[in-house]
Amino acid sequence: MNKVKTISCIGAGYVGGPTMAVMAYKNPHIKINVVDINEEKIRLWNSDNLDDLPVYEPGLAEIVSKVRNKNLFFSTQIEKAIDEAEMIFISVNTPTKTYGIGKGMAADLKYVELCARQIAEVAKADKIVVEKSTLPVRTASSIKRIFAEQKKDFNFSVLSNPEFLAEGTAIKDLLEADRVLIGGENGEAIQALVDIYSAWLPEERIITTNIWSSELSKLTANAFLAQRISSINAMSALCEKTGADIDQVARAIGTDSRIGPKFLKASVGFGGSCFQKDILNLVYLCRHFGLEEVADYWEQVIKMNDYQKHRFAEKMVNAMFNTVNGKKIVFYGWAFKKDTNDTRESAAIYVADKLMDEQAHIHAYDPKVNYERMLEDLSGLRTRVEEKNTELLKFETDPYEAAKDAHAIAILTEWDEFITYDWQKIYDSMKKPAFVFDGRNILDHGKLRDIGFEVSAIGKS
Ligand code: NAD
Ligand code: UGA
């Protein structure tokens, strides 16, 4: 097979955008088209003002500015992009189904199937189709069926190449990937993809497997990572009852090289678009294959995460004399983690919702999230009418202004700037007693107590 000269990627989201930017940067001889049905998103990817890019990631704007309109192009011309490319990545969203069979559990594959059908219809020559989206194991066989039905006299090769980047560190994760995983059957197609990654990664980090192992490895990796967070969060509840300190416990166990220090940070609960979705999907698959015990085992990771979010909100209400009705509670942070503008499944949404049920007045500040996004997140829960959400959730642009006359401050995201705030100034402007609920254990609690705050943190009594 000749070297790939043109790549197209369908889906210009949190994965498609950064992944293709890095691929283009490291393969200047390859033209890469990133296409999406969302015109507004494409307009923003093409914006002259790099602050407007639809995805915020440290280092992304710099790379985009180097390659955009040189060998990286963003457009809505999907058919043209399919026609032009020898290799096509499918990087569309695969959310949890909200209807029908598998509702609330299975991955909704309608966007992936639409892409496959469109590729099958438009293609006029051999194509390598790469599953970049996270998919249930054996999805590749459905995609192959769609191609086979076209009965065209050229080849479609399907590869699985799941993405392991984490938001907030996407560029670093892509540039210095621990590994790249490629699953497939066609040796030439696999080699074509290996060639692209080996432009910047040593070959020993490029793992090749059969296609089903590749698809399942992605779900397994996310399940294991989320399981560690739920495990440490389970222990945080016990710490709060016993006087043990969860950060000390995490440090003590993390030095065991068999356990390791990463993903042991207790928190208000994990968020993000993937952990919950992928574990629910795994649970659904296990039940489908009659593996009830395996399904129950993994489902517990989600239940523990829900418990942690509810527990945090309840602790706030209890500490504030069992009522937050009419009280001003300031949220520092709304994104699901620092250094991203993504809020999908953020713990902040669920904690806010619970407090709003108690008639609290939430004032939210986040350096990268706007009010529209926050309201959309809440309306997605369908707990109350939109007017009520607007009444109970206010948006703040200045963290000090926000704190004025507040009863409490809750840290929902671990943004670095929160650590360096003038907490004395914040305390002076608040109602007393002034509460701080540190859902990320990032603040200096001793110092806050010296100032006069009532401090409550995760896994600390
Ligand atoms: P996203 O929602 O940010 O982006 C998906 C994009 O696909 C959207 O812009 C949407 O408009 C577009 N799209 C949907 N259907 C389309 C179609 N038929 N034609 C053209 N465009 C279409 O999603 P994401 O976060 O980038 O995730 C994409 C996939 O990657 C998911 O399967 C996810 O599980 C997986 N993943 C995500 C991350 C992450 O950190 N976000 C990491 C690893 C893997
Ligand atoms: C996660 C995985 O880390 C990626 O490898 C994977 O590619 C991605 O999901 C995906 O498939 O979408 P991401 O969700 O972007 O990445 O971010 P993480 O760093 O994993 O954080 C997820 C959530 O867990 C965040 O809310 C974070 O605050 C929380 N977290 C993380 C903790 O509460 N404690 C920790 O120790 C680590």
Side-chain angles (χ1 to χ4, degrees):
M1 177 177 281
N2 292 328
K3 293 261 178 206
V4 169
K5 291 190 215 63
T6 307
I7 290 174
S8 293
C9 172
I10 308 180
Y14 282 90
V15 168
T19 309
M20 292 302 127
V22 168
M23 213 171 257
Y25 178 56
K26 292 293 182 180
N27 288 279
H29 53 288
I30 299 181
K31 177 185 176 190
I32 302 189
N33 301 304
V34 185
V35 289
D36 203 293
I37 37 173
N38 184 329
E39 288 177 13
E40 175 61 6
K41 202 174 266 190
I42 292 298
R43 190 186 68 74
L44 294 172
W45 277 115
N46 282 321
S47 170
D48 289 337
N49 182 354
L50 290 168
D51 288 339
D52 287 345
L53 295 185
V55 171
Y56 172 72
E57 276 292 337
L60 173 65
E62 289 82 343
I63 290 191
V64 168
S65 70
K66 287 189 182 127
V67 289
R68 196 176 53 184
N69 298 330
K70 293 198 178 82
N71 67 327
L72 179 70
F73 301 88
F74 293 96
S75 93
T76 52
Q77 293 180 291
I78 300 174
E79 297 202 346
K80 182 166 175 274
I82 292 172
D83 188 34
E84 260 186 36
E86 298 103 45
M87 182 179 276
I88 301 166
F89 286 79
I90 300 180
S91 188
V92 298
N93 36 329
T94 50
T96 305
K97 265 187 97 176
T98 52
Y99 55 89
I101 299 166
K103 178 180 174 183
M105 299 293 290
D108 191 341
L109 298 180
K110 74 175 170 198
Y111 306 106
V112 171
E113 185 176 333
L114 279 171
C115 288
R117 286 183 185 279
Q118 201 172 8
I119 295 169
E121 272 166 36
V122 172
K124 297 194 214 77
D126 291 357
K127 303 282 173 200
I128 300 170
V129 177
V130 185
E131 298 175 346
K132 183 52 102 178
S133 298
T134 302
L135 298 168
V137 59
R138 299 206 72 83
T139 306
S141 58
S142 315
I143 295 182
K144 282 186 192 165
R145 269 288 307 278
I146 291 169
F147 294 147
E149 291 298 322
Q150 288 291 313
K151 299 193 174 47
K152 291 189 175 171
D153 56 0
F154 45 82
N155 291 322
F156 291 102
S157 304
V158 180
L159 300 178
S160 159
N161 173 222
E163 184 48 61
F164 294 99
L165 67 79
E167 290 178 30
T169 51
I171 300 301
K172 187 172 178 296
D173 294 344
L174 287 163
L175 289 173
E176 299 162 25
D178 287 343
R179 54 42 180 114
V180 161
L181 180 56
I182 302 174
E185 288 154 357
N186 175 335
E188 278 189 29
I190 293 173
Q191 191 54 48
L193 189 51
V194 168
D195 287 346
I196 291 163
Y197 282 110
S198 51
W200 77 96
L201 292 168
E203 291 224 2
E204 60 272 18
R205 286 204 218 152
I206 305 174
I207 301 172
T208 53
T209 63
N210 80 33
I211 202 154
W212 321 125
S213 304
S214 173
E215 288 177 335
L216 185 56
S217 298
K218 174 62 198 178
L219 295 185
T220 309
N222 274 357
F224 270 56
L225 290 169
Q227 180 201 43
R228 280 175 71 98
I229 305 170
S230 276
S231 297
I232 202 75
N233 282 344
M235 291 305 162
S236 77
L238 189 56
C239 283
E240 287 166 32
K241 298 281 184 207
T242 56
D245 178 314
I246 196 64
D247 288 333
Q248 292 178 357
V249 173
R251 191 155 58 96
I253 65 165
T255 48
D256 183 329
S257 60
R258 294 167 302 173
I259 297 176
K262 292 180 182 167
F263 270 70
L264 288 181
K265 185 74 188 160
S267 69
V268 55
F270 61 74
S273 61
C274 291
F275 279 171
Q276 174 163 310
K277 155 177 91 69
D278 292 348
I279 294 176
L280 289 173
N281 189 11
L282 186 64
V283 170
Y284 182 76
L285 276 171
C286 293
R287 293 211 197 287
H288 171 80
F289 289 111
L291 302 170
E292 291 298 326
E293 284 77 5
V294 184
D296 291 347
Y297 176 76
W298 286 110
E299 194 163 34
Q300 202 56 35
V301 173
I302 301 289
K303 287 187 180 161
M304 183 53 60
N305 196 49
D306 289 340
Y307 168 73
Q308 189 75 348
K309 292 181 277 191
H310 291 151
R311 204 168 71 79
F312 185 76
E314 268 171 29
K315 233 172 85 171
M316 289 179 71
V317 177
N318 292 345
M320 296 166 79
F321 316 110
N322 292 313
T323 175
V324 289
N325 190 330
K327 289 183 179 169
K328 178 178 179 183
I329 298 176
V330 176
F331 275 26
Y332 283 170
W334 190 272
F336 82 97
K337 63 185 285 198
K338 74 172 179 178
D339 292 336
T340 177
N341 58 347
D342 195 349
T343 64
R344 289 177 286 182
E345 291 299 327
S346 179
I349 306 166
Y350 295 92
V351 175
D353 190 56
K354 195 145 176 80
L355 295 174
M356 286 160 72
D357 271 348
E358 298 291 328
Q359 304 303 314
H361 291 236
I362 309 293
H363 290 239
Y365 164 77
D366 187 291
K368 291 287 173 197
V369 182
N370 61 33
Y371 191 35
E372 206 184 344
R373 180 73 263 151
M374 293 176 185
L375 288 174
E376 272 174 31
D377 290 338
L378 279 172
S379 71
L381 299 183
R382 296 174 195 211
T383 311
R384 61 189 76 72
V385 294
E386 312 237 331
E387 296 74 46
K388 197 72 185 159
N389 281 336
T390 322
E391 183 194 322
L392 293 175
L393 177 75
K394 298 288 179 228
F395 182 66
E396 300 283 349
T397 52
D398 178 328
Y400 293 99
E401 281 299 314
K404 276 187 188 156
D405 292 323
H407 293 260
I409 304 223
I411 307 284
L412 274 303
T413 313
E414 72 280 24
W415 287 102
D416 291 337
E417 65 175 62
F418 301 158
I419 301 167
T420 53
Y421 283 174
D422 181 344
W423 283 92
Q424 180 69 56
K425 182 172 161 189
I426 290 170
Y427 177 80
D428 291 341
S429 73
M430 288 174 66
K431 289 215 188 309
K432 308 296 176 318
F435 293 90
V436 166
F437 299 94
D438 187 354
R440 297 288 183 165
N441 286 354
I442 53 168
L443 302 178
D444 182 338
H445 301 147
K447 202 167 132 197
L448 291 181
R449 288 197 178 98
D450 288 347
I451 291 173
F453 281 107
E454 297 274 336
V455 181
S456 173
I458 305 283
K460 293 165 194 276
S461 54

